[in-house]
Amino acid sequence: MSRDLEGRSIIVTGAGRGIGETMARGLAAQGGALVIADINGEAAEAVASGIRDSGGKAVGVSADVSDRESVKGMIAKAVEANGRLDVIFNNAGIAQTKPFLSISDEDWRRVMDVNGLGVLICMQEAIRQMIAQGRGGKIINTASIAGKQGYEPLAHYSASKFAVVALTQAAARAFGKDQINVNAICPGVVATDMWKVIDKGFVDEGLTQRDNQAFETFSADILLGRPSKSDDLVGVACFLASSASDYMTGQSLVVDGGMVLI
Ligand SMILES: NC(=O)c1ccc[n+]([C@@H]2O[C@H](COP(=O)([O-])OP(=O)(O)OC[C@H]3O[C@@H](n4cnc5c(N)ncnc54)[C@H](O)[C@@H]3O)[C@@H](O)[C@H]2O)c1
């Protein structure tokens, strides 16, 4: 097995389950020293413990990405455990299915707080740490195909993911001089618990008749013929964390099996 990430200090937020967990396991398998961060601290510790059991390096931390003090604590934990911070995956996010005219002010604020403000806070605090270290670093944000196209009835979620793409581009322009690469991954339809939430929302809103119908409908035209598994994102995550991507910044890479062609 390749050990491209040997010794790199890497934080993954929202790594207590789903895409974040799978990416973190893949990064640890390539030698990364991981901080597994999640608002669900028990889930984070369980993932970290699983990585340690299979010979990898990981610590779990409870962190809410939308709370600046919590994020500062998460970064301090990475520095305490691994001496510095080289890479952060700002992956934590939430989704909600709501028809356009039903989105309340509170719905908007809740989704934007985690997906928009949470990414901004994590980027700011990680970049401050990387600049203080003086040897560059890598920021990788999880956006979405919903950050490339507006989807109904996920308008506020889509807006939050457009925000992630914008933050990625703006920070790439600002911190290239500091040798900080800022890129994003845009997954498509990934079979995780998040899609169960989205799918249930379709049924609750009367937009579909049965479980899994929305997931199947969204997946129907994928060029590679199947929805994504979290594993499909590990290769690009390792690439963006490694020196192989040192000359890339400001990009939002679509990894969706062929849904959004741009
Ligand atoms: N599943 C998909 O089809 C899909 C597609 C495109 C993009 N994404 C994005 O990928 C990322 C991960 O999605 P997933 O499918 O693994 O979701 P998931 O719901 O399975 O996992 C998300 C994790 O984030 C954690 N989390 C939620 N709010 C948090 C907060 N405030 N602070 C810290 N942790 C928090 C949750 O506890 C959970 O462990 C999200 O940003 C999501 O928007 C998912």
Side-chain angles (χ1 to χ4, degrees):
M1 182 188 300
S2 133
R3 302 278 291 179
D4 283 356
L5 304 177
E6 195 71 55
R8 287 206 182 196
S9 170
I10 304 174
I11 296 175
V12 183
T13 70
R17 71 179 193 192
I19 293 170
E21 174 184 357
T22 306
M23 290 196 306
R25 288 183 189 279
L27 294 160
Q30 291 209 1
L34 271 291
V35 167
I36 307 297
D38 203 286
I39 198 166
N40 181 341
E42 276 181 26
E45 184 43 45
V47 172
S49 155
I51 290 173
R52 291 194 297 271
D53 289 348
S54 39
K57 194 165 181 212
V59 293
V61 58
S62 170
D64 176 353
V65 295
S66 64
D67 179 296
R68 192 173 294 274
E69 289 311 307
S70 184
V71 169
K72 285 182 178 172
M74 170 184 84
I75 288 171
K77 184 87 177 180
V79 175
E80 179 195 318
N82 302 316
R84 60 185 189 278
L85 175 64
D86 298 315
V87 183
I88 186 166
F89 282 83
N90 298 314
N91 167 78
I94 57 172
Q96 183 188 31
T97 308
K98 269 284 181 84
F100 195 96
L101 294 179
S102 304
I103 297 167
S104 68
D105 301 5
E106 175 48 31
D107 292 332
W108 171 272
R109 288 195 187 99
R110 197 171 62 84
V111 170
M112 288 304 259
D113 249 19
V114 178
N115 297 6
L117 179 63
V119 169
L120 175 67
I121 291 173
C122 289
M123 290 176 77
Q124 288 176 326
E125 298 305 328
I127 288 167
R128 284 196 178 104
Q129 176 64 31
M130 288 170 180
I131 288 175
Q133 292 168 184
R135 46 191 279 185
K138 290 177 183 274
I139 313 276
I140 300 126
N141 300 322
T142 305
S144 170
I145 52 169
K148 298 282 188 176
Q149 297 192 337
Y151 287 94
E152 221 279 319
L154 296 160
H156 52 335
Y157 176 78
S158 293
S160 74
K161 293 302 184 177
F162 270 73
V164 173
V165 172
L167 291 170
T168 302
Q169 293 182 358
R173 291 189 196 282
F175 301 107
K177 65 180 182 343
D178 301 295
Q179 303 304 311
I180 297 174
N181 307 68
V182 189
N183 292 295
I185 302 174
C186 299
V189 177
V190 192
T192 66
D193 287 331
M194 176 175 278
W195 247 102
K196 291 183 187 151
V197 172
I198 295 172
D199 211 87
K200 182 174 181 311
F202 270 80
V203 175
D204 291 348
E205 295 291 344
L207 301 168
T208 53
Q209 282 67 55
R210 59 172 176 79
D211 288 350
N212 237 27
Q213 189 180 342
F215 182 79
E216 289 166 13
T217 306
F218 269 77
S219 309
D221 296 326
I222 294 174
L223 297 180
L224 293 179
R226 62 168 177 83
S228 177
K229 303 173 288 210
S230 294
D231 283 331
D232 294 318
L233 299 161
V234 170
V236 76
C238 291
F239 166 67
L240 288 175
S242 79
S243 54
S245 60
D246 277 356
Y247 198 60
M248 272 183 65
T249 197
Q251 305 304 310
S252 295
L253 301 183
V254 177
V255 186
D256 66 352
M259 293 179 73
V260 173
L261 304 187
I262 44 172

